[in-house]
Amino acid sequence: MSTASKILEQLKNSGRTELSSSAICDQLKISRNAVWKHVKALREQGYQIEAQSRCGYKLVASPDRPDAAEVLPFLQTKKIGRVLCYSDVTDSTNRDAAAAARDGCENGTVFCSGEQQGGRGRMTRKWFSPPGVNLYFSVVLRPSVATSLAGSLPLVAGIAVAAAVRKMAPELNPRVKWPNDILIDGKKVCGILCEMQAEIDSGVSYIVAGAGLNVNLDPQAIPDELKKIATSLKAETAREFSRAKMLACVLNEFEYYYEIWLRKGFEPLVEVMKELDALKGSVISVQQGTKLITGTASGVHSDGALQIQTSEGMELVYSGETRIEGC
C-alpha cells in the first residue's frame, strides 16, 4: 500500500474527527512536508480534505471512483477483486484483463475503468461507454473446469449482477435474458461478455468475465437509438449510486455464485435462474448464423442451454441471439 493510500485509510478511520499531522507523521515515520504533499495528491484525485490550523486534516468527501481505495472497504470476497486495477480511461477492460492473464496475473484480479473507448459486447458490437457514470469491469478467472462448462458462466455472472442490483435497489426487479443480458422492465441495464482461452490438452487456461453496468447514466444522455432498449439504475430509481459500493456488491455476489458453479456446475443455479428468467414462457426466436429457431422459451437446462419448445419438440440451444417475438 502506498503512503498516500495509508494516509487516506487513516483519514477514513478517523471519521468526522480531525487527524493531526503529528499523528500521521508518528505512525508513518514521515515529515510534515511529506504529509502535506500526499494530501495534496489525494486532493488532485478528487478527495475533499479539509485542513485546519492546529487541528489537522479531515476527509469531507470521496470521489465516485471505483478504484481499490474505494472498493476494498466494502469487499467481502476471499479472492475476487482483492487485486483491483483501476484506470480513468481504457480501450477495453476485457483486453486489459486478457493481456494480464497471458502475463500470469493472479486469479480473481479485476480490471475496472471509468471510461471505455473500445468497449464491445457479443458479436463485436460496440458498447456505449460514457465516462464517469457507469461500471466497466472484467475479472480474470482460472477455473479448473471442462471447456464445455464455460458456456454457462455468463449466466452465473448475470445472476450475480441481478442479485447485486436487488440489494442496492430493492425496488427494482432485474431479470436475466439468456445468454448474457440483464433487463429492467424489458430494457437492458447490463451486458456481459465472457472470453475463454483454452488448450486442447490442458483445458481452460483462463476466462475473462467482463460486464458493463449502466449505473448513474442520466436518461437524457442515452442515445436516441438506444432509448427504447437501454436504461440505467439512475433512470429507473431517480437516484444516484456509489459505483464503488455497487462494484463491491457485484463482486461479492459473483464470488458466492461462482464458487457454487466451480464445485457443482450450473445445475444448482437452475432454480435461481427460474426466478430471474426474462424469456421463460415467451415466444422467441434465436438466430444462429443462417439458422432461425422459433418457439416458446421453457427455461434454462442444467448445463446452461436455453430450452425451446418448437413445433418439432424440445430443442436445447447453446449459442445465438435471442429476440422476444412482438417486441
Side-chain angles (χ1 to χ4, degrees):
M1 183 183 290
S2 68
T3 300
S5 296
K6 291 178 181 178
I7 292 175
L8 180 60
E9 184 177 49
Q10 289 184 338
L11 290 170
K12 287 183 176 181
N13 291 337
S14 67
R16 296 180 179 275
T17 304
E18 286 85 0
L19 186 64
S20 68
S21 293
S22 59
I24 300 174
C25 293
D26 291 343
Q27 187 165 347
L28 300 182
K29 309 302 180 185
I30 59 177
S31 67
R32 287 177 180 270
N33 187 52
V35 171
W36 179 84
K37 287 182 178 179
H38 287 300
V39 168
K40 180 182 178 183
L42 288 170
R43 286 170 172 163
E44 290 172 352
Q45 293 175 31
Y47 290 94
Q48 295 180 34
I49 301 173
E50 290 183 350
Q52 297 182 2
S53 178
R54 298 183 181 181
C55 291
Y57 297 102
K58 181 172 68 173
L59 179 63
V60 177
S62 299
D64 178 33
R65 184 172 58 238
D67 59 12
E70 296 303 308
V71 174
L72 291 180
F74 304 103
L75 209 58
Q76 300 168 0
T77 62
K78 296 176 182 177
K79 293 182 179 179
I80 304 294
R82 288 297 164 181
V83 178
L84 195 157
C85 306
Y86 175 83
S87 60
D88 286 325
V89 60
T90 191
D91 178 53
S92 161
T93 59
N94 261 32
R95 292 194 185 101
D96 294 341
R102 290 192 294 270
D103 289 339
C105 78
E106 187 175 335
N107 176 46
T109 299
V110 172
F111 290 82
C112 183
S113 184
E115 178 185 1
Q116 287 189 130
Q117 294 185 337
R120 68 195 192 285
R122 295 179 75 246
M123 310 297 288
T124 69
R125 295 190 182 97
K126 187 175 181 180
W127 179 263
F128 178 58
S129 307
V133 290
N134 297 331
L135 280 176
Y136 317 112
F137 62 96
S138 302
V139 187
V140 175
L141 304 167
R142 301 185 185 277
S144 298
V145 300
T147 56
S148 58
L149 180 61
S152 59
L153 188 58
L155 292 176
V156 179
I159 289 171
V161 171
V165 169
R166 282 184 169 181
K167 282 191 173 181
M168 296 290 287
E171 68 270 38
L172 298 181
N173 184 29
R175 309 294 293 276
V176 179
K177 176 175 176 273
W178 188 95
N180 65 327
D181 291 339
I182 293 83
L183 311 179
I184 296 177
D185 288 337
K187 293 185 177 181
K188 185 172 179 176
V189 73
C190 179
I192 294 165
L193 177 63
C194 292
E195 299 176 298
M196 176 177 66
Q197 177 64 39
E199 305 298 334
I200 297 177
D201 55 344
S202 58
V204 175
S205 175
Y206 65 83
I207 299 175
V208 171
L213 174 60
N214 294 337
V215 181
N216 293 324
L217 179 63
D218 194 279
Q220 285 72 38
I222 300 175
D224 290 339
E225 65 271 20
L226 299 178
K227 287 186 185 297
K228 291 184 178 180
I229 60 173
T231 189
S232 70
L233 300 184
K234 181 180 179 179
E236 296 297 322
T237 64
R239 57 191 176 92
E240 293 198 351
F241 296 80
S242 162
R243 290 185 296 154
K245 288 182 180 180
M246 179 61 71
L247 178 56
C249 192
V250 171
L251 298 179
N252 291 338
E253 294 295 326
F254 179 68
E255 184 172 271
Y256 172 75
Y257 290 108
Y258 177 67
E259 288 184 348
I260 293 174
W261 179 82
L262 279 179
R263 294 194 307 269
K264 301 179 180 180
F266 188 76
E267 186 170 5
L269 301 179
V270 170
E271 288 300 315
V272 180
M273 185 61 194
K274 281 182 180 179
E275 297 181 4
L276 298 171
D277 196 338
L279 297 178
K280 189 173 181 179
S282 299
V283 177
I284 65 169
S285 61
V286 181
Q287 190 74 48
Q288 292 182 317
T290 58
K291 181 182 179 182
L292 183 67
I293 304 170
T294 301
T296 301
S298 301
V300 176
H301 192 259
S302 60
D303 62 359
L306 178 64
Q307 300 176 149
I308 303 179
Q309 185 66 50
T310 71
S311 58
E312 299 178 355
M314 186 69 72
E315 186 163 350
L316 296 182
V317 176
Y318 291 89
S319 64
E321 295 296 304
T322 60
R323 184 173 68 87
I324 299 175
E325 293 297 313
C327 293

